[in-house]
Amino acid sequence: QVQLVESGGGLVQAGDSLRLSCVASGRTFSRYGMGWFRQAPGKERELVAAISSAAGTYYSDSVKGRFTISRDNAKNTVYLQMNSLKSEDTAVYYCAAEWGLVAPNPTAVDYWGKGTLVTVSS
């Protein structure tokens, strides 16, 4: 069993930066792919960034060049550095864990955090 706890959300202005953190419980963190999904009101949950157990990364087109995902296996933590935030980045951001690699399909995720709200005002 893996428990995920996100932090770092908040209210910022367009153009600002924010860093999300997700701390995972358990001894096998390094073997899990980790990802950040987001869900805006009325929209489906979408994968914005992922990092595999081998540290390969994936970014959706909407955040590529602005967001950076990283992991610290010694701290059981995955980060999402978000720069040049836009109003359309407003959403609840969820940390996700899946054995090996997080796929874009939310139904395949093994574990979810409860989410952290990011609000970007224009």
Side-chain angles (χ1 to χ4, degrees):
Q1 191 79 350
V2 175
Q3 292 184 328
L4 305 174
V5 180
E6 305 100 331
S7 63
L11 172 63
V12 296
Q13 293 186 333
D16 285 351
S17 297
L18 208 57
R19 189 176 81 158
L20 305 182
S21 300
C22 172
V23 180
S25 65
R27 299 181 180 179
T28 57
F29 174 79
S30 63
R31 297 188 179 185
Y32 278 88
M34 302 298 296
W36 289 94
F37 286 76
R38 70 184 180 188
Q39 189 165 21
K43 295 189 176 181
E44 294 184 351
R45 193 169 296 192
E46 63 169 346
L47 178 65
V48 295
I51 185 165
S52 71
S53 57
T57 57
Y58 160 86
Y59 298 96
S60 68
D61 288 342
S62 61
V63 307
K64 198 173 294 182
R66 299 188 297 121
F67 290 11
T68 302
I69 189 170
S70 61
R71 65 189 299 159
D72 185 338
N73 290 336
K75 296 182 178 180
N76 277 20
T77 302
V78 62
Y79 304 97
L80 185 67
Q81 178 67 43
M82 305 185 294
N83 298 330
S84 303
L85 283 162
K86 305 175 182 180
S87 58
E88 51 262 46
D89 295 318
T90 295
V92 177
Y93 284 71
Y94 296 91
C95 181
E98 191 172 331
W99 190 259
L101 177 68
V102 174
N105 183 359
T107 63
V109 170
D110 295 323
Y111 300 101
W112 290 102
K114 293 184 178 181
T116 185
L117 177 62
V118 173
T119 303
V120 184
S121 64
S122 57

